[in-house]
Amino acid sequence: MAQWTSAVGSTQLARLLTSQQTRPAGPGTRRPPAYRALADGIRMLVLEGRVPVAARLPAERELAVSLAVSRTTVAAAYEALRTEGFLESRRGAGSWTAVPAGNPLPARGLEPLPPEALGSMIDLGCAALPAPEPWLTRAVQGALEELPPYAHTHGDFPAGLPALRQMLAERYTARGIPTMPEQIMVTTGAMGAIDAICHLFAPRGERIAVESPSYANILQLMRETGARLVPVAMSEGLGGWDMDRWRQVLRDAAPRLAYVVADFHNPTGALADEDQRRGLVDAARSAGTVVVVDETMTELQLDDDVSMPRPVCGFDPAGSTVITVGSASKAFWAGMRIGWVRAAPDVIRSLVSARAYADMGTPVLEQLAVNWLLSTGGWESAVRVRRDQARENRDALVAAVRRELPSWEFVVPKGGLTLWARAGGLSGSRIAEMGERVGVRVPSGPRFGVDGAFEGYVRLPFTVGGAVAEEAAVRLAAAARLVETGAVGGVEAPRAFVA
């Protein structure tokens, strides 16, 4: 019986490998043999999660044709991968990817490191900050005081607690978007909300247009649902959406859904202006596309000179084109897994009905905690703490990266939690790999793209500041030097670091 569970075609693998090509090697740089470069490229794709473990690779002759190399080169690369534990083969069954015994399986999303691993590793993988105290503790205490009446019920509220739905509706109304509680469903985080929307609107095989780059975990969620992702390039820097490209994709591909982050985009930090928002809604309405707007970063405005545009749903008064998703996880704390959907009442009813076959409902205690924050002013106080933390971290990280990595290019965003950096012509995937060796964990650009795009980028979140941000930049610079010199082993283990 074959040991592989999926397959990677020769054309697809060639495209992924080609995306790793970077600037020409400088003087003194060791150039590996062709077979070694090919083996390293496939190994990197496996470690990055862009080629799954237990995926059947193309036959040697097939891949040689697609790459325009000799079959001997491919055979030698496969043999090297087998020796290192990244490939297994059996006559009649082919060859499939693996990981060496004792190695963790590669993550295809951006999971945080376990707390016990933080002593020697600086984690720039997950864009999440510690809880803004004392507001978390106060919210939980307030929730416990409100819990007794709910404890006498069955505890299942598929659409969310009525009090929280009312509060969220009032907040949209206060932003100039009249909203009824019937237009709100409370979910288990923004991921739970988008998962439910994808299953309702875009069953397997449907097209979903996504910004390019976009949020890695959402891209992977959509792949897992069987969606066909259609990337739409962002404008350069912080320019927001390229509306000519959006109109063309919506007209030509007619995607069922479009997923966008209009406010302090993840990962670039861009803020779409009002003309772009109006244009996207108009184009989507004409194409029959439903736009899912992720507002999880909306409240993380870090600079005072920012004038926030109207919410995207403000350009869709009929409510037929835009579905809005919000969450407490970025503005408050990632451990508070409360999200919500704002949509037309009939969409909310459909989502609630479908929920009976998914997670049934969202934890009552956490809903009460968020409701306490929103109803007492605690939310605004906590968000001010969060903004101050993120602003200080951003400024410290930017200064450190500019000092240690002067060839890296980026535009400093005015909000959000992430910096999108072009890594001086180096491979983001290889910087990520070397970063693990020297004690800094950073996600590479291809995680945020489709089919290997953005190999020359990394994402840096505003999760560390002060001396830790400085040390993170020092370690990133060390990783970059290892990539430049072609180092492949013998790297000293990272030392423990205490801020």
Side-chain angles (χ1 to χ4, degrees), residues 276-492:
Q276 291 171 334
R277 296 169 191 233
R278 181 183 296 105
L280 180 61
V281 173
D282 289 346
R285 185 182 295 116
S286 297
T289 300
V290 174
V291 181
V292 180
V293 181
D294 185 334
E295 287 193 339
T296 53
M297 297 285 185
T298 296
E299 298 194 63
L300 293 174
Q301 172 187 334
L302 304 185
D303 292 340
D304 294 335
D305 61 347
V306 178
S307 178
M308 291 300 293
R310 276 192 294 167
V312 179
C313 58
F315 299 95
D316 179 39
S320 60
T321 301
V322 177
I323 298 176
T324 304
V325 172
S327 171
S329 65
K330 298 299 184 185
F332 186 72
W333 184 47
M336 188 68 76
R337 304 305 304 164
I338 298 295
W340 52 86
V341 178
R342 181 202 179 272
D346 61 319
V347 172
I348 295 297
R349 285 193 295 269
S350 297
L351 289 170
V352 171
S353 296
R355 191 173 196 176
Y357 308 102
D359 64 356
M360 297 294 290
T362 304
V364 169
L365 188 63
E366 292 184 28
Q367 292 187 72
L368 289 172
V370 171
N371 190 61
W372 183 91
L373 287 165
L374 294 174
S375 61
T376 62
W379 180 270
E380 284 72 19
S381 298
V383 169
R384 280 196 294 271
V385 171
R386 173 64 77 240
R387 287 173 179 155
D388 291 343
Q389 285 178 313
R391 185 185 306 110
E392 291 175 7
N393 289 353
R394 178 196 64 180
D395 295 346
L397 185 65
V398 165
V401 171
R402 281 177 170 162
R403 182 179 63 251
E404 300 293 336
L405 293 150
S407 67
W408 285 24
E409 303 170 46
F410 52 82
V411 182
V412 181
K414 295 180 177 294
L417 288 174
T418 56
L419 185 71
W420 185 239
R422 192 193 304 267
L426 299 177
S427 161
S429 296
R430 297 188 186 279
I431 288 173
E433 181 189 26
M434 292 302 175
E436 294 274 357
R437 301 188 187 190
V438 300
V440 60
R441 180 174 181 260
V442 58
S444 64
R447 288 181 177 269
F448 304 88
V450 178
D451 286 339
F454 307 109
E455 181 60 49
Y457 289 80
V458 295
R459 189 194 75 169
L460 306 176
F462 311 143
T463 52
V464 297
V468 185
E470 293 177 7
E471 178 68 11
V474 168
R475 296 186 184 187
L476 282 171
R481 285 193 296 273
L482 291 172
V483 174
E484 286 182 313
T485 58
V488 293
V491 180
E492 182 180 351

Side-chain angles (χ1 to χ4, degrees), residues 4-17 42 45-46 50-59 62-63 78 95-97 108:
W4 49 272
T5 57
S6 62
V8 181
S10 60
T11 303
Q12 179 187 7
L13 184 56
R15 186 169 64 249
L16 290 171
L17 288 165
I42 294 174
L45 292 173
V46 173
R50 287 185 281 150
V51 169
V53 175
R56 187 179 187 274
L57 295 186
E62 245 183 280
L63 185 57
Y78 278 15
S95 299
W96 57 92
T97 55
R108 302 193 74 182

Side-chain angles (χ1 to χ4, degrees), residues 57-432:
L57 295 186
E60 294 170 3
R61 190 186 305 277
E62 245 183 280
L63 185 57
V65 170
S66 293
L67 292 175
V69 299
S70 71
R71 183 178 177 182
T72 302
T73 297
V74 177
Y78 278 15
E79 181 58 32
L81 290 168
R82 277 190 287 269
T83 301
E84 295 162 7
F86 286 95
L87 196 67
E88 295 181 10
S89 303
R90 194 170 69 238
R91 186 178 296 278
S95 299
W96 57 92
T97 55
V99 292
N103 279 37
L105 288 174
R108 302 193 74 182
L110 302 177
E111 295 79 7
L113 281 176
E116 62 269 18
L118 295 177
S120 60
M121 184 72 70
I122 298 176
D123 186 9
L124 297 182
C126 185
L129 289 162
E133 289 287 25
W135 302 107
L136 174 62
T137 298
R138 292 183 183 177
V140 173
Q141 290 170 341
L144 287 171
E145 292 175 2
E146 298 291 333
L147 182 61
Y150 295 93
H152 293 292
T153 73
H154 48 62
D156 288 335
F157 297 89
L161 295 184
L164 181 55
R165 297 175 73 196
Q166 177 69 42
M167 182 60 62
L168 292 168
E170 290 176 1
R171 288 179 67 82
Y172 277 105
T173 300
R175 292 171 64 191
I177 313 298
T179 303
M180 305 178 294
E182 293 79 10
Q183 291 176 263
I184 301 292
M185 181 178 84
V186 181
T187 63
T188 307
M191 291 286 288
I194 294 170
D195 183 51
I197 293 167
C198 287
H199 278 92
L200 181 63
F201 283 91
R204 184 168 296 275
E206 289 282 357
R207 295 185 181 92
I208 301 180
V210 295
E211 297 153 323
S212 184
S214 187
Y215 178 36
N217 286 343
I218 294 296
L219 294 180
Q220 188 57 31
L221 181 155
M222 291 174 175
R223 292 186 187 103
E224 297 291 342
T225 66
R228 297 160 61 190
L229 301 184
V230 183
V232 186
M234 298 283 288
S235 296
E236 284 296 315
L238 301 179
W241 300 325
D242 184 324
M243 287 311 304
D244 288 339
R245 290 175 176 169
W246 268 106
R247 292 187 187 96
Q248 180 181 357
V249 167
L250 293 174
R251 181 181 64 247
D252 296 346
R256 186 70 186 89
L257 285 180
Y259 168 76
V260 297
V261 184
D263 301 329
F264 310 122
H265 175 259
N266 185 357
T268 67
L271 178 66
D273 62 32
E274 290 211 359
D275 287 342
Q276 291 171 334
R277 296 169 191 233
R278 181 183 296 105
L280 180 61
V281 173
D282 289 346
R285 185 182 295 116
S286 297
T289 300
V290 174
V291 181
V292 180
V293 181
D294 185 334
E295 287 193 339
T296 53
M297 297 285 185
T298 296
E299 298 194 63
L300 293 174
Q301 172 187 334
L302 304 185
D303 292 340
D304 294 335
D305 61 347
V306 178
S307 178
M308 291 300 293
R310 276 192 294 167
V312 179
C313 58
F315 299 95
D316 179 39
S320 60
T321 301
V322 177
I323 298 176
T324 304
V325 172
S327 171
S329 65
K330 298 299 184 185
F332 186 72
W333 184 47
M336 188 68 76
R337 304 305 304 164
I338 298 295
W340 52 86
V341 178
R342 181 202 179 272
D346 61 319
V347 172
I348 295 297
R349 285 193 295 269
S350 297
L351 289 170
V352 171
S353 296
R355 191 173 196 176
Y357 308 102
D359 64 356
M360 297 294 290
T362 304
V364 169
L365 188 63
E366 292 184 28
Q367 292 187 72
L368 289 172
V370 171
N371 190 61
W372 183 91
L373 287 165
L374 294 174
S375 61
T376 62
W379 180 270
E380 284 72 19
S381 298
V383 169
R384 280 196 294 271
V385 171
R386 173 64 77 240
R387 287 173 179 155
D388 291 343
Q389 285 178 313
R391 185 185 306 110
E392 291 175 7
N393 289 353
R394 178 196 64 180
D395 295 346
L397 185 65
V398 165
V401 171
R402 281 177 170 162
R403 182 179 63 251
E404 300 293 336
L405 293 150
S407 67
W408 285 24
E409 303 170 46
F410 52 82
V411 182
V412 181
K414 295 180 177 294
L417 288 174
T418 56
L419 185 71
W420 185 239
R422 192 193 304 267
L426 299 177
S427 161
S429 296
R430 297 188 186 279
I431 288 173

